Short mmCIF file of all heavy atoms in Angstrom, two decimals:
data_model
loop_
_atom_site.label_atom_id
_atom_site.label_comp_id
_atom_site.label_asym_id
_atom_site.label_seq_id
_atom_site.Cartn_x
_atom_site.Cartn_y
_atom_site.Cartn_z
N TYR A 183 39.54 69.16 17.14
CA TYR A 183 38.32 69.62 16.47
C TYR A 183 38.59 70.50 15.25
O TYR A 183 37.92 70.33 14.23
CB TYR A 183 37.39 70.31 17.46
CG TYR A 183 36.93 69.39 18.58
CD1 TYR A 183 36.30 69.88 19.71
CD2 TYR A 183 37.12 68.01 18.49
CE1 TYR A 183 35.89 69.03 20.73
CE2 TYR A 183 36.72 67.16 19.50
CZ TYR A 183 36.11 67.67 20.63
OH TYR A 183 35.70 66.84 21.62
N PRO A 184 39.57 71.41 15.32
CA PRO A 184 39.91 72.14 14.09
C PRO A 184 40.38 71.21 12.99
O PRO A 184 40.10 71.43 11.81
CB PRO A 184 41.03 73.07 14.55
CG PRO A 184 40.82 73.25 16.01
CD PRO A 184 40.30 71.92 16.49
N LEU A 185 41.09 70.13 13.39
CA LEU A 185 41.54 69.14 12.40
C LEU A 185 40.35 68.47 11.73
O LEU A 185 40.30 68.33 10.50
CB LEU A 185 42.39 68.09 13.11
CG LEU A 185 43.12 67.06 12.24
CD1 LEU A 185 44.36 67.69 11.65
CD2 LEU A 185 43.48 65.83 13.04
N TYR A 186 39.38 68.06 12.53
CA TYR A 186 38.18 67.44 11.96
C TYR A 186 37.52 68.39 10.97
O TYR A 186 37.04 67.98 9.91
CB TYR A 186 37.16 67.10 13.06
CG TYR A 186 37.63 66.11 14.10
CD1 TYR A 186 37.02 66.04 15.34
CD2 TYR A 186 38.68 65.24 13.82
CE1 TYR A 186 37.43 65.13 16.29
CE2 TYR A 186 39.10 64.32 14.77
CZ TYR A 186 38.48 64.27 16.01
OH TYR A 186 38.89 63.38 16.95
N GLU A 187 37.49 69.66 11.33
CA GLU A 187 36.80 70.63 10.49
C GLU A 187 37.57 70.89 9.21
O GLU A 187 37.00 70.87 8.12
CB GLU A 187 36.62 71.94 11.26
CG GLU A 187 35.86 72.98 10.45
CD GLU A 187 35.60 74.25 11.22
OE1 GLU A 187 35.85 74.29 12.44
OE2 GLU A 187 35.16 75.23 10.60
N GLU A 188 38.90 71.08 9.35
CA GLU A 188 39.69 71.45 8.18
C GLU A 188 39.82 70.30 7.19
O GLU A 188 39.70 70.49 5.98
CB GLU A 188 41.09 71.92 8.61
CG GLU A 188 41.10 73.35 9.13
CD GLU A 188 42.35 73.65 9.95
OE1 GLU A 188 43.40 73.03 9.68
OE2 GLU A 188 42.26 74.49 10.88
N LEU A 189 40.07 69.10 7.70
CA LEU A 189 40.35 67.99 6.79
C LEU A 189 39.10 67.22 6.38
O LEU A 189 39.06 66.62 5.31
CB LEU A 189 41.35 67.02 7.43
CG LEU A 189 42.73 67.62 7.73
CD1 LEU A 189 43.64 66.55 8.29
CD2 LEU A 189 43.35 68.22 6.47
N PHE A 190 38.08 67.20 7.23
CA PHE A 190 36.93 66.35 6.93
C PHE A 190 35.61 67.13 6.88
O PHE A 190 34.56 66.55 6.63
CB PHE A 190 36.82 65.23 7.97
CG PHE A 190 38.05 64.37 8.04
CD1 PHE A 190 39.06 64.66 8.95
CD2 PHE A 190 38.21 63.30 7.17
CE1 PHE A 190 40.20 63.86 9.01
CE2 PHE A 190 39.34 62.51 7.23
CZ PHE A 190 40.35 62.80 8.15
N GLY A 191 35.68 68.42 7.14
CA GLY A 191 34.47 69.24 7.06
C GLY A 191 33.45 68.91 8.13
O GLY A 191 32.27 69.19 7.97
N ILE A 192 33.91 68.29 9.23
CA ILE A 192 33.00 67.95 10.32
C ILE A 192 33.22 68.90 11.48
O ILE A 192 34.33 68.98 12.02
CB ILE A 192 33.21 66.48 10.77
CG1 ILE A 192 32.84 65.54 9.62
CG2 ILE A 192 32.38 66.18 12.01
CD1 ILE A 192 33.06 64.08 9.94
N ARG A 193 32.17 69.65 11.82
CA ARG A 193 32.31 70.64 12.89
C ARG A 193 31.71 70.14 14.19
O ARG A 193 30.54 69.80 14.24
CB ARG A 193 31.60 71.94 12.50
CG ARG A 193 32.26 72.68 11.37
CD ARG A 193 31.52 73.99 11.14
NE ARG A 193 31.63 74.86 12.29
CZ ARG A 193 30.87 75.93 12.47
NH1 ARG A 193 29.93 76.20 11.62
NH2 ARG A 193 31.05 76.69 13.52
N VAL A 194 32.53 70.13 15.21
CA VAL A 194 32.01 69.78 16.54
C VAL A 194 31.39 71.03 17.16
O VAL A 194 32.03 72.07 17.27
CB VAL A 194 33.14 69.25 17.45
CG1 VAL A 194 32.64 69.14 18.88
CG2 VAL A 194 33.61 67.90 16.96
N ILE A 195 30.12 70.92 17.51
CA ILE A 195 29.40 72.07 18.05
C ILE A 195 29.03 71.84 19.51
O ILE A 195 29.11 72.74 20.33
CB ILE A 195 28.11 72.32 17.24
CG1 ILE A 195 28.46 72.70 15.81
CG2 ILE A 195 27.26 73.39 17.90
CD1 ILE A 195 28.89 74.12 15.64
N ARG A 196 28.63 70.65 19.81
CA ARG A 196 28.18 70.35 21.17
C ARG A 196 29.04 69.23 21.76
O ARG A 196 29.66 68.45 21.05
CB ARG A 196 26.74 69.84 21.16
CG ARG A 196 25.73 70.83 20.72
CD ARG A 196 24.33 70.24 20.92
NE ARG A 196 23.44 70.61 19.85
CZ ARG A 196 22.74 71.74 19.84
NH1 ARG A 196 22.86 72.58 20.82
NH2 ARG A 196 21.95 72.03 18.84
N ALA A 197 29.02 69.15 23.06
CA ALA A 197 29.66 68.03 23.73
C ALA A 197 28.93 67.76 25.03
O ALA A 197 28.40 68.68 25.66
CB ALA A 197 31.13 68.33 24.00
N GLU A 198 28.87 66.50 25.38
CA GLU A 198 28.27 66.11 26.64
C GLU A 198 29.34 65.42 27.45
O GLU A 198 29.97 64.48 26.98
CB GLU A 198 27.09 65.17 26.36
CG GLU A 198 26.25 64.85 27.57
CD GLU A 198 25.08 63.93 27.21
OE1 GLU A 198 24.28 64.31 26.34
OE2 GLU A 198 25.01 62.84 27.79
N GLU A 199 29.57 65.91 28.65
CA GLU A 199 30.63 65.34 29.46
C GLU A 199 30.08 64.69 30.72
O GLU A 199 29.25 65.28 31.41
CB GLU A 199 31.64 66.43 29.84
CG GLU A 199 32.34 67.01 28.63
CD GLU A 199 33.51 67.91 28.97
OE1 GLU A 199 33.47 68.57 30.02
OE2 GLU A 199 34.47 67.94 28.19
N HIS A 200 30.55 63.49 30.99
CA HIS A 200 30.18 62.79 32.22
C HIS A 200 31.42 62.74 33.10
O HIS A 200 32.42 62.13 32.73
CB HIS A 200 29.69 61.37 31.90
CG HIS A 200 28.43 61.35 31.08
ND1 HIS A 200 27.51 60.35 31.16
CD2 HIS A 200 27.94 62.22 30.17
CE1 HIS A 200 26.51 60.59 30.33
NE2 HIS A 200 26.75 61.71 29.71
N LEU A 201 31.32 63.36 34.26
CA LEU A 201 32.50 63.43 35.12
C LEU A 201 32.35 62.51 36.33
O LEU A 201 31.27 62.42 36.92
CB LEU A 201 32.71 64.86 35.62
CG LEU A 201 33.27 65.84 34.58
CD1 LEU A 201 32.18 66.35 33.68
CD2 LEU A 201 33.96 67.00 35.26
N SER A 202 33.44 61.87 36.65
CA SER A 202 33.45 61.03 37.84
C SER A 202 34.88 60.94 38.37
O SER A 202 35.81 61.45 37.75
CB SER A 202 32.90 59.64 37.51
OG SER A 202 33.61 59.07 36.44
N ALA A 203 35.01 60.30 39.50
CA ALA A 203 36.32 60.13 40.12
C ALA A 203 36.72 58.66 40.01
O ALA A 203 35.91 57.78 40.30
CB ALA A 203 36.30 60.57 41.57
N VAL A 204 37.94 58.41 39.57
CA VAL A 204 38.41 57.03 39.42
C VAL A 204 39.79 56.90 40.05
O VAL A 204 40.43 57.90 40.39
CB VAL A 204 38.48 56.62 37.93
CG1 VAL A 204 37.09 56.69 37.28
CG2 VAL A 204 39.45 57.51 37.17
N ALA A 205 40.23 55.68 40.18
CA ALA A 205 41.56 55.43 40.74
C ALA A 205 42.54 55.16 39.60
O ALA A 205 42.19 54.50 38.62
CB ALA A 205 41.52 54.24 41.69
N ALA A 206 43.72 55.73 39.71
CA ALA A 206 44.73 55.58 38.66
C ALA A 206 45.16 54.13 38.53
O ALA A 206 45.51 53.50 39.53
CB ALA A 206 45.93 56.47 38.96
N ASP A 207 45.13 53.60 37.30
CA ASP A 207 45.67 52.25 37.11
C ASP A 207 47.18 52.36 36.89
O ASP A 207 47.75 53.45 36.91
CB ASP A 207 44.95 51.55 35.94
CG ASP A 207 45.22 52.21 34.61
OD1 ASP A 207 46.23 52.93 34.47
OD2 ASP A 207 44.41 52.01 33.69
N GLU A 208 47.81 51.20 36.67
CA GLU A 208 49.27 51.19 36.61
C GLU A 208 49.82 52.11 35.53
O GLU A 208 50.77 52.88 35.74
CB GLU A 208 49.76 49.75 36.33
CG GLU A 208 49.99 48.96 37.60
CD GLU A 208 50.62 47.60 37.28
OE1 GLU A 208 51.56 47.57 36.46
OE2 GLU A 208 50.14 46.60 37.84
N ARG A 209 49.20 52.01 34.36
CA ARG A 209 49.70 52.78 33.23
C ARG A 209 49.54 54.29 33.47
O ARG A 209 50.46 55.07 33.21
CB ARG A 209 48.89 52.40 31.99
CG ARG A 209 49.82 52.21 30.85
CD ARG A 209 49.20 51.55 29.69
NE ARG A 209 49.56 52.34 28.54
CZ ARG A 209 48.71 52.65 27.59
NH1 ARG A 209 47.48 52.23 27.65
NH2 ARG A 209 49.13 53.36 26.58
N GLU A 210 48.38 54.65 33.98
CA GLU A 210 48.13 56.07 34.25
C GLU A 210 49.04 56.58 35.36
O GLU A 210 49.57 57.70 35.29
CB GLU A 210 46.66 56.27 34.63
CG GLU A 210 45.71 56.01 33.49
CD GLU A 210 44.28 55.80 33.95
OE1 GLU A 210 44.06 55.60 35.16
OE2 GLU A 210 43.39 55.82 33.09
#
Side-chain angles (χ1 to χ4, degrees):
Chain A
Y183 298 167
L185 188 79
Y186 298 159
E187 182 177 350
E188 281 162 30
L189 297 183
F190 302 93
I192 296 178
R193 291 184 64 194
V194 169
I195 295 282
R196 295 187 218 274
E198 188 179 303
E199 296 190 328
H200 296 210
L201 285 81
S202 54
V204 298
D207 65 22
E208 270 186 44
R209 225 167 132 223
E210 292 163 347

